[in-house]
Structures are given as C-alpha cells and as structure tokens.
Amino acid sequence: MNILRKPGMRNHSGITFILRGLTDDPQVQVVIFIFLFLTYMLSVTGNLTIITLTLVDPHLKTPMYFFLQNFSFVEVSFTSACIPRYLYSLLTGDNTVTYNACAAQIFFGTFFVATELFLLSSMSYDRYVAICKPLHYTTIMSNKVCNQLILSSWLSALMLILPPLSMGLQLEFCSSNVIDHFVCDSYPVLNISCSDTTFLKKIILIFAGLLLIITLILVVISYAYIVRTIMRFPSAQQRKKAFSTCSSHMIVVSMTYGTCIFIYIKPPGKEELALDKVLSVLVTSVAPVMNPFIYTLRNKQVIQAFKDFVKRIPFVRKV
C-alpha cells in the first residue's frame, strides 16, 4: 500500500504509512510480543499502584509523593502512547498507520519525554529544599508552589516541542511511506520525506539539546547543593539517612539522562538505526517498569502504604 500525495499538496488525510517494526522473523516477533506485553502490563500496574497509593494514603500527602504521582502518570502515558500500537501490529500483522495517528504518536511521545525531564528537575529542587532547608520545607514547598512547578513542567515541554512539530506538519511525502521503526519517531519520518529536512533536523537537534542541557543543569545545581550540605553533617548515620532519601531519584535521573546522552553519541549508519530501535525499546518499555520498583523497593513509607491498602480490600481482609 503506497498512498502518498504529489509534491505541493498539503492535504495529508489520505497518507498511510507502514511501520517496518523490529524484525520480520515470526518466531522473534512472538518473543518480542510476550516481552513487550509483560513489561507494559507491569509498567501500567506499578505506576497506577503508586498513583493510587499517593491519592488514598494520608501519610503520602507530601510534595515528594505529589511529584512522584505526576511522574508515574507521565510514565504510564508515555509507554501507552508507544507500546499498545506495536503490540496490535504484532498480533494482527497490520503495520499500517494513518498520517494523523503517526503525527499524534510523535507529538505525545515527544511531549511526555520532555515533560518527564522537566519533572525530574522539579523533583530535584524538592529534594534540595528538603535537605538544605528542612526547617522551611513546608513553607517553601506549599501546595501553590508544587502546583506551579507541575504546571510549568507541562507548559515548558509543550512550548519547547511545538515549534519543530509545527514545521514537521508542513513536510511532504511523495516517494516512500515505509518507516523503518516500530513506532512513529521524528527522524525515521524525516528520512522518508521528499521535502528538504536539513534545517528541520538542525532545529530538532537544537531544541532537544536545549531541553537536555537546561533540565540537566537544574538537576546538577540542586544535587551540588545537596551533596555539599550532606557532607557537612556531623555523623555518618545522618549522612547515610540523607543520601537514602535521594537515592531513588538519583538512580532514575542517572538512567534517564544516561540514555539521552547515549542517544547523542550513537554511531552513524546502519548501526545508528539498530541502536535507535534498541534504545526505543528500553525507553518505552523497560524504563517505565523499573522506575516504580526503584521508587518503592527502598521506600518504607510506600511499602507500608501498600500493605495498608491491601488490608482494606474486602477479599484480602476475609482471607
């Protein structure tokens, strides 16, 4: 199926793309389907559990868990924007996707990633206030400030991705409609456009670089003050306790930014395409699964909240 418009025509409603996927081997596709299905279900279950606990448990009504609640929501939204469509393709063999659906997937995928990075910087600031200004924590991190930080994270992400996205909507497709990926991603789509995408690729690189640098600087500044403050604590036990309150967030930050930085230093050519797909699987399926466990396994408050929540379930209580 090769339904494409002639050059000069901007009505994209009739365009249909074909997603090549990860592999053409049926046996490997079965393995990939099982893996992605399990990771997706675990991701949704884990993140929704965190959201539920932070909503119903009074002990988790603090700014830290408010940010974690929003972070989990972004994680669920991001993986849901990417994985279910590919699972459907693997199950039915239907690899076609309309122009509007592809554009929507690019928008939401990019939007949720950008929002996640801004949220991580907001969470870093929360940890900075908690450790460096503990006596003023409740005053500084008021409900109004927390809501403003969350809102600014979403709005900043939206404003950052809109310019390149609006430029991308002007692209023309007239030669190929096969996207060499398992999701609609910006660069694979740009590679099949018959428009000159050189300038747009530079714009995307600049905006992505700004997003990464700005949020990373905010995180580094927060943790520089945190480390300096902790090292001034008189006892080793106090330092250990302070570091433990930040450890989960530091692990998630390291994983997220490590993946983003690795994307920018990937090798060119065919190796780049294969690496793009591997990184996309890690970012869209594996990371959303790991984050709930990272935040909960070492968090006694969340574990206790989960136990209390389970005890409230009528069936469990009867048993």
Short mmCIF file of all heavy atoms in Angstrom, two decimals, residues 63-115:
data_model
loop_
_atom_site.label_atom_id
_atom_site.label_comp_id
_atom_site.label_asym_id
_atom_site.label_seq_id
_atom_site.Cartn_x
_atom_site.Cartn_y
_atom_site.Cartn_z
N PRO A 63 4.84 16.81 49.33
CA PRO A 63 5.28 17.25 47.99
C PRO A 63 6.06 16.18 47.23
O PRO A 63 5.87 16.03 46.01
CB PRO A 63 6.16 18.47 48.31
CG PRO A 63 5.61 19.01 49.58
CD PRO A 63 5.18 17.81 50.36
N MET A 64 6.91 15.43 47.93
CA MET A 64 7.71 14.41 47.24
C MET A 64 6.83 13.39 46.54
O MET A 64 7.07 13.04 45.38
CB MET A 64 8.63 13.70 48.25
CG MET A 64 9.53 12.64 47.61
SD MET A 64 10.65 11.86 48.77
CE MET A 64 9.53 10.83 49.71
N TYR A 65 5.81 12.93 47.23
CA TYR A 65 4.92 11.93 46.64
C TYR A 65 3.94 12.55 45.64
O TYR A 65 3.45 11.87 44.75
CB TYR A 65 4.19 11.17 47.74
CG TYR A 65 5.11 10.38 48.60
CD1 TYR A 65 5.38 10.77 49.92
CD2 TYR A 65 5.78 9.27 48.10
CE1 TYR A 65 6.25 10.06 50.71
CE2 TYR A 65 6.66 8.55 48.88
CZ TYR A 65 6.90 8.95 50.18
OH TYR A 65 7.79 8.23 50.96
N PHE A 66 3.68 13.84 45.78
CA PHE A 66 2.87 14.54 44.78
C PHE A 66 3.61 14.58 43.45
O PHE A 66 3.02 14.34 42.39
CB PHE A 66 2.57 15.95 45.27
CG PHE A 66 1.82 16.80 44.27
CD1 PHE A 66 0.51 16.50 43.94
CD2 PHE A 66 2.44 17.88 43.67
CE1 PHE A 66 -0.19 17.28 43.01
CE2 PHE A 66 1.76 18.66 42.76
CZ PHE A 66 0.45 18.37 42.42
N PHE A 67 4.91 14.87 43.49
CA PHE A 67 5.72 14.85 42.26
C PHE A 67 5.84 13.42 41.71
O PHE A 67 5.79 13.21 40.50
CB PHE A 67 7.11 15.42 42.53
CG PHE A 67 7.13 16.91 42.72
CD1 PHE A 67 7.47 17.47 43.94
CD2 PHE A 67 6.81 17.75 41.68
CE1 PHE A 67 7.48 18.83 44.12
CE2 PHE A 67 6.83 19.13 41.84
CZ PHE A 67 7.15 19.68 43.07
N LEU A 68 6.00 12.46 42.61
CA LEU A 68 6.10 11.06 42.18
C LEU A 68 4.80 10.61 41.51
O LEU A 68 4.82 9.86 40.53
CB LEU A 68 6.41 10.17 43.38
CG LEU A 68 6.57 8.67 43.10
CD1 LEU A 68 7.64 8.42 42.06
CD2 LEU A 68 6.89 7.93 44.40
N GLN A 69 3.68 11.07 42.03
CA GLN A 69 2.38 10.75 41.44
C GLN A 69 2.30 11.26 40.00
O GLN A 69 1.87 10.54 39.10
CB GLN A 69 1.28 11.39 42.29
CG GLN A 69 -0.12 11.27 41.76
CD GLN A 69 -1.07 12.17 42.53
OE1 GLN A 69 -1.73 13.03 41.96
NE2 GLN A 69 -1.14 12.00 43.86
N ASN A 70 2.72 12.49 39.78
CA ASN A 70 2.71 13.07 38.44
C ASN A 70 3.72 12.38 37.52
O ASN A 70 3.45 12.17 36.33
CB ASN A 70 3.00 14.57 38.51
CG ASN A 70 1.80 15.37 38.94
OD1 ASN A 70 1.02 15.84 38.12
ND2 ASN A 70 1.64 15.54 40.24
N PHE A 71 4.87 12.03 38.08
CA PHE A 71 5.89 11.33 37.30
C PHE A 71 5.37 9.97 36.83
O PHE A 71 5.59 9.58 35.68
CB PHE A 71 7.15 11.16 38.14
CG PHE A 71 8.31 10.57 37.39
CD1 PHE A 71 9.07 11.34 36.53
CD2 PHE A 71 8.65 9.23 37.54
CE1 PHE A 71 10.14 10.80 35.84
CE2 PHE A 71 9.71 8.68 36.86
CZ PHE A 71 10.46 9.46 36.00
N SER A 72 4.69 9.26 37.71
CA SER A 72 4.12 7.96 37.35
C SER A 72 3.06 8.11 36.27
O SER A 72 2.95 7.27 35.37
CB SER A 72 3.53 7.29 38.59
OG SER A 72 4.53 6.97 39.53
N PHE A 73 2.27 9.17 36.37
CA PHE A 73 1.26 9.42 35.34
C PHE A 73 1.90 9.65 33.98
O PHE A 73 1.42 9.14 32.96
CB PHE A 73 0.40 10.64 35.73
CG PHE A 73 -0.59 11.04 34.67
CD1 PHE A 73 -1.75 10.32 34.47
CD2 PHE A 73 -0.33 12.14 33.85
CE1 PHE A 73 -2.66 10.69 33.48
CE2 PHE A 73 -1.22 12.51 32.86
CZ PHE A 73 -2.39 11.79 32.67
N VAL A 74 2.99 10.40 33.95
CA VAL A 74 3.70 10.64 32.69
C VAL A 74 4.27 9.33 32.14
O VAL A 74 4.22 9.08 30.94
CB VAL A 74 4.83 11.68 32.90
CG1 VAL A 74 5.70 11.79 31.66
CG2 VAL A 74 4.23 13.04 33.23
N GLU A 75 4.80 8.50 33.02
CA GLU A 75 5.36 7.21 32.59
C GLU A 75 4.29 6.32 31.96
O GLU A 75 4.53 5.72 30.90
CB GLU A 75 5.99 6.49 33.79
CG GLU A 75 7.26 7.12 34.31
CD GLU A 75 8.46 6.77 33.45
OE1 GLU A 75 8.62 7.39 32.37
OE2 GLU A 75 9.24 5.89 33.84
N VAL A 76 3.13 6.24 32.59
CA VAL A 76 2.04 5.45 32.03
C VAL A 76 1.60 6.01 30.68
O VAL A 76 1.38 5.27 29.71
CB VAL A 76 0.83 5.41 33.00
CG1 VAL A 76 -0.37 4.78 32.33
CG2 VAL A 76 1.18 4.64 34.26
N SER A 77 1.49 7.32 30.61
CA SER A 77 1.04 7.96 29.37
C SER A 77 2.05 7.73 28.24
O SER A 77 1.66 7.45 27.10
CB SER A 77 0.85 9.47 29.60
OG SER A 77 -0.09 9.70 30.63
N PHE A 78 3.33 7.84 28.57
CA PHE A 78 4.37 7.69 27.55
C PHE A 78 4.41 6.28 26.98
O PHE A 78 4.39 6.09 25.76
CB PHE A 78 5.72 8.06 28.15
CG PHE A 78 6.88 7.80 27.22
CD1 PHE A 78 6.94 8.40 25.97
CD2 PHE A 78 7.89 6.93 27.58
CE1 PHE A 78 8.00 8.16 25.11
CE2 PHE A 78 8.95 6.68 26.73
CZ PHE A 78 9.01 7.30 25.49
N THR A 79 4.45 5.28 27.86
CA THR A 79 4.50 3.91 27.36
C THR A 79 3.21 3.51 26.64
O THR A 79 3.23 2.74 25.69
CB THR A 79 4.80 2.92 28.52
OG1 THR A 79 5.08 1.63 27.99
CG2 THR A 79 3.64 2.82 29.49
N SER A 80 2.08 4.10 27.06
CA SER A 80 0.80 3.81 26.40
C SER A 80 0.71 4.47 25.03
O SER A 80 -0.05 4.01 24.17
CB SER A 80 -0.37 4.29 27.27
OG SER A 80 -0.41 3.57 28.49
N ALA A 81 1.47 5.52 24.82
CA ALA A 81 1.48 6.19 23.52
C ALA A 81 2.29 5.41 22.49
O ALA A 81 2.14 5.64 21.29
CB ALA A 81 2.03 7.60 23.66
N CYS A 82 3.14 4.48 22.96
CA CYS A 82 4.06 3.80 22.04
C CYS A 82 3.80 2.29 21.92
O CYS A 82 3.75 1.76 20.80
CB CYS A 82 5.50 4.03 22.49
SG CYS A 82 5.98 5.76 22.62
N ILE A 83 3.67 1.60 23.05
CA ILE A 83 3.69 0.14 23.04
C ILE A 83 2.40 -0.51 22.52
O ILE A 83 2.47 -1.44 21.70
CB ILE A 83 4.04 -0.39 24.44
CG1 ILE A 83 5.44 0.08 24.84
CG2 ILE A 83 3.98 -1.92 24.47
CD1 ILE A 83 6.54 -0.35 23.89
N PRO A 84 1.19 -0.11 22.96
CA PRO A 84 -0.03 -0.81 22.52
C PRO A 84 -0.19 -0.87 21.00
O PRO A 84 -0.64 -1.89 20.48
CB PRO A 84 -1.16 0.01 23.17
CG PRO A 84 -0.53 0.59 24.37
CD PRO A 84 0.86 0.92 23.98
N ARG A 85 0.20 0.18 20.30
CA ARG A 85 0.06 0.18 18.84
C ARG A 85 0.95 -0.88 18.20
O ARG A 85 0.55 -1.57 17.26
CB ARG A 85 0.40 1.57 18.28
CG ARG A 85 0.31 1.67 16.75
CD ARG A 85 -1.11 1.38 16.28
NE ARG A 85 -1.24 1.34 14.83
CZ ARG A 85 -0.94 0.30 14.07
NH1 ARG A 85 -0.47 -0.82 14.63
NH2 ARG A 85 -1.13 0.33 12.76
N TYR A 86 2.17 -1.04 18.72
CA TYR A 86 3.06 -2.05 18.18
C TYR A 86 2.60 -3.45 18.56
O TYR A 86 2.74 -4.40 17.76
CB TYR A 86 4.49 -1.81 18.66
CG TYR A 86 5.50 -2.75 18.04
CD1 TYR A 86 5.55 -2.95 16.66
CD2 TYR A 86 6.40 -3.45 18.82
CE1 TYR A 86 6.46 -3.81 16.08
CE2 TYR A 86 7.32 -4.31 18.26
CZ TYR A 86 7.35 -4.49 16.88
OH TYR A 86 8.25 -5.36 16.32
N LEU A 87 2.06 -3.61 19.76
CA LEU A 87 1.51 -4.91 20.15
C LEU A 87 0.37 -5.30 19.22
O LEU A 87 0.24 -6.48 18.83
CB LEU A 87 1.01 -4.86 21.59
CG LEU A 87 2.08 -4.75 22.69
CD1 LEU A 87 1.41 -4.60 24.06
CD2 LEU A 87 2.99 -5.97 22.68
N TYR A 88 -0.45 -4.34 18.85
CA TYR A 88 -1.54 -4.59 17.90
C TYR A 88 -0.99 -5.02 16.55
O TYR A 88 -1.52 -5.97 15.93
CB TYR A 88 -2.39 -3.32 17.74
CG TYR A 88 -3.41 -3.39 16.63
CD1 TYR A 88 -4.61 -4.06 16.80
CD2 TYR A 88 -3.14 -2.80 15.39
CE1 TYR A 88 -5.54 -4.13 15.77
CE2 TYR A 88 -4.06 -2.86 14.36
CZ TYR A 88 -5.26 -3.53 14.55
OH TYR A 88 -6.18 -3.60 13.53
N SER A 89 0.08 -4.39 16.10
CA SER A 89 0.70 -4.76 14.82
C SER A 89 1.24 -6.18 14.86
O SER A 89 1.08 -6.95 13.91
CB SER A 89 1.82 -3.78 14.48
OG SER A 89 1.32 -2.48 14.31
N LEU A 90 1.90 -6.54 15.98
CA LEU A 90 2.45 -7.89 16.11
C LEU A 90 1.35 -8.94 16.15
O LEU A 90 1.50 -10.05 15.63
CB LEU A 90 3.30 -7.98 17.38
CG LEU A 90 4.63 -7.22 17.38
CD1 LEU A 90 5.26 -7.26 18.76
CD2 LEU A 90 5.59 -7.80 16.35
N LEU A 91 0.23 -8.58 16.77
CA LEU A 91 -0.87 -9.54 16.94
C LEU A 91 -1.66 -9.73 15.66
O LEU A 91 -2.06 -10.85 15.33
CB LEU A 91 -1.80 -9.06 18.06
CG LEU A 91 -2.84 -10.05 18.58
CD1 LEU A 91 -2.16 -11.27 19.19
CD2 LEU A 91 -3.75 -9.38 19.60
N THR A 92 -1.88 -8.66 14.92
CA THR A 92 -2.74 -8.72 13.73
C THR A 92 -1.98 -8.73 12.41
O THR A 92 -2.53 -9.10 11.38
CB THR A 92 -3.70 -7.52 13.72
OG1 THR A 92 -2.95 -6.30 13.61
CG2 THR A 92 -4.54 -7.49 15.00
N GLY A 93 -0.72 -8.31 12.45
CA GLY A 93 0.05 -8.20 11.21
C GLY A 93 -0.23 -6.93 10.44
O GLY A 93 0.29 -6.73 9.35
N ASP A 94 -1.07 -6.06 11.01
CA ASP A 94 -1.40 -4.79 10.36
C ASP A 94 -0.38 -3.74 10.77
O ASP A 94 -0.41 -3.22 11.89
CB ASP A 94 -2.81 -4.35 10.78
CG ASP A 94 -3.23 -3.05 10.13
OD1 ASP A 94 -2.50 -2.59 9.22
OD2 ASP A 94 -4.26 -2.48 10.53
N ASN A 95 0.53 -3.41 9.86
CA ASN A 95 1.59 -2.45 10.15
C ASN A 95 1.29 -1.05 9.64
O ASN A 95 2.16 -0.18 9.70
CB ASN A 95 2.92 -2.93 9.54
CG ASN A 95 3.38 -4.24 10.14
OD1 ASN A 95 3.20 -4.48 11.33
ND2 ASN A 95 3.95 -5.10 9.32
N THR A 96 0.11 -0.83 9.11
CA THR A 96 -0.23 0.46 8.54
C THR A 96 -0.65 1.44 9.65
O THR A 96 -1.21 1.04 10.67
CB THR A 96 -1.36 0.35 7.52
OG1 THR A 96 -2.53 -0.17 8.16
CG2 THR A 96 -0.96 -0.56 6.37
N VAL A 97 -0.37 2.70 9.42
CA VAL A 97 -0.76 3.75 10.36
C VAL A 97 -1.05 5.01 9.55
O VAL A 97 -0.32 5.35 8.63
CB VAL A 97 0.35 4.01 11.40
CG1 VAL A 97 1.66 4.38 10.76
CG2 VAL A 97 -0.09 5.07 12.39
N THR A 98 -2.14 5.67 9.87
CA THR A 98 -2.52 6.88 9.13
C THR A 98 -1.59 8.03 9.50
O THR A 98 -0.90 8.00 10.52
CB THR A 98 -3.97 7.28 9.45
OG1 THR A 98 -4.06 7.62 10.84
CG2 THR A 98 -4.93 6.15 9.12
N TYR A 99 -1.59 9.05 8.66
CA TYR A 99 -0.76 10.22 8.89
C TYR A 99 -1.12 10.88 10.23
O TYR A 99 -0.23 11.22 11.01
CB TYR A 99 -0.94 11.22 7.75
CG TYR A 99 -0.22 12.52 7.97
CD1 TYR A 99 1.11 12.68 7.58
CD2 TYR A 99 -0.86 13.60 8.59
CE1 TYR A 99 1.78 13.88 7.79
CE2 TYR A 99 -0.19 14.79 8.81
CZ TYR A 99 1.12 14.94 8.41
OH TYR A 99 1.78 16.12 8.63
N ASN A 100 -2.41 11.05 10.49
CA ASN A 100 -2.85 11.70 11.72
C ASN A 100 -2.44 10.90 12.96
O ASN A 100 -2.01 11.47 13.97
CB ASN A 100 -4.37 11.90 11.71
CG ASN A 100 -4.81 12.95 10.71
OD1 ASN A 100 -4.03 13.82 10.33
ND2 ASN A 100 -6.05 12.86 10.26
N ALA A 101 -2.57 9.56 12.88
CA ALA A 101 -2.18 8.71 14.01
C ALA A 101 -0.68 8.77 14.23
O ALA A 101 -0.20 8.79 15.38
CB ALA A 101 -2.62 7.28 13.76
N CYS A 102 0.08 8.82 13.14
CA CYS A 102 1.55 8.89 13.24
C CYS A 102 1.97 10.23 13.85
O CYS A 102 2.83 10.28 14.74
CB CYS A 102 2.16 8.71 11.86
SG CYS A 102 3.95 8.48 11.87
N ALA A 103 1.35 11.31 13.38
CA ALA A 103 1.66 12.64 13.92
C ALA A 103 1.31 12.72 15.39
O ALA A 103 2.06 13.31 16.19
CB ALA A 103 0.91 13.71 13.12
N ALA A 104 0.19 12.12 15.78
CA ALA A 104 -0.23 12.13 17.18
C ALA A 104 0.76 11.35 18.04
O ALA A 104 1.10 11.77 19.17
CB ALA A 104 -1.62 11.53 17.31
N GLN A 105 1.26 10.23 17.54
CA GLN A 105 2.21 9.43 18.31
C GLN A 105 3.52 10.18 18.50
O GLN A 105 4.12 10.14 19.58
CB GLN A 105 2.46 8.09 17.61
CG GLN A 105 3.24 7.11 18.47
CD GLN A 105 3.36 5.74 17.84
OE1 GLN A 105 3.89 5.60 16.74
NE2 GLN A 105 2.86 4.73 18.54
N ILE A 106 3.97 10.87 17.45
CA ILE A 106 5.19 11.68 17.57
C ILE A 106 5.00 12.79 18.60
O ILE A 106 5.85 13.03 19.45
CB ILE A 106 5.59 12.28 16.20
CG1 ILE A 106 6.02 11.17 15.24
CG2 ILE A 106 6.72 13.29 16.37
CD1 ILE A 106 6.31 11.66 13.85
N PHE A 107 3.84 13.45 18.53
CA PHE A 107 3.57 14.56 19.45
C PHE A 107 3.55 14.07 20.90
O PHE A 107 4.25 14.62 21.76
CB PHE A 107 2.24 15.23 19.11
CG PHE A 107 1.74 16.16 20.18
CD1 PHE A 107 2.33 17.41 20.35
CD2 PHE A 107 0.72 15.78 21.05
CE1 PHE A 107 1.89 18.26 21.35
CE2 PHE A 107 0.28 16.63 22.04
CZ PHE A 107 0.87 17.89 22.19
N PHE A 108 2.74 13.06 21.19
CA PHE A 108 2.59 12.62 22.57
C PHE A 108 3.88 11.98 23.09
O PHE A 108 4.24 12.20 24.26
CB PHE A 108 1.42 11.64 22.69
CG PHE A 108 0.08 12.31 22.64
CD1 PHE A 108 -0.76 12.12 21.56
CD2 PHE A 108 -0.34 13.13 23.67
CE1 PHE A 108 -2.01 12.74 21.50
CE2 PHE A 108 -1.58 13.76 23.63
CZ PHE A 108 -2.41 13.57 22.54
N GLY A 109 4.56 11.21 22.25
CA GLY A 109 5.82 10.60 22.69
C GLY A 109 6.84 11.65 23.07
O GLY A 109 7.47 11.58 24.13
N THR A 110 7.01 12.66 22.21
CA THR A 110 7.96 13.74 22.48
C THR A 110 7.53 14.58 23.67
O THR A 110 8.34 14.97 24.51
CB THR A 110 8.11 14.63 21.24
OG1 THR A 110 8.39 13.83 20.09
CG2 THR A 110 9.23 15.64 21.43
N PHE A 111 6.24 14.86 23.73
CA PHE A 111 5.69 15.70 24.80
C PHE A 111 5.90 15.07 26.17
O PHE A 111 6.34 15.74 27.13
CB PHE A 111 4.20 15.95 24.54
CG PHE A 111 3.51 16.75 25.60
CD1 PHE A 111 4.04 17.94 26.05
CD2 PHE A 111 2.32 16.30 26.15
CE1 PHE A 111 3.39 18.69 27.03
CE2 PHE A 111 1.66 17.04 27.12
CZ PHE A 111 2.20 18.24 27.56
N PHE A 112 5.62 13.78 26.28
CA PHE A 112 5.77 13.12 27.58
C PHE A 112 7.23 12.97 27.99
O PHE A 112 7.56 13.07 29.18
CB PHE A 112 5.08 11.76 27.55
CG PHE A 112 3.58 11.84 27.50
CD1 PHE A 112 2.85 11.10 26.57
CD2 PHE A 112 2.89 12.67 28.35
CE1 PHE A 112 1.47 11.18 26.50
CE2 PHE A 112 1.50 12.77 28.30
CZ PHE A 112 0.80 12.02 27.37
N VAL A 113 8.13 12.75 27.03
CA VAL A 113 9.56 12.68 27.36
C VAL A 113 10.05 14.03 27.87
O VAL A 113 10.76 14.11 28.87
CB VAL A 113 10.38 12.25 26.12
CG1 VAL A 113 11.87 12.47 26.37
CG2 VAL A 113 10.13 10.78 25.81
N ALA A 114 9.67 15.11 27.17
CA ALA A 114 10.08 16.45 27.59
C ALA A 114 9.52 16.79 28.97
O ALA A 114 10.22 17.34 29.82
CB ALA A 114 9.62 17.48 26.56
N THR A 115 8.26 16.44 29.19
CA THR A 115 7.64 16.70 30.50
C THR A 115 8.35 15.93 31.60
O THR A 115 8.56 16.45 32.71
CB THR A 115 6.15 16.30 30.47
OG1 THR A 115 5.49 17.00 29.41
CG2 THR A 115 5.47 16.63 31.79
#
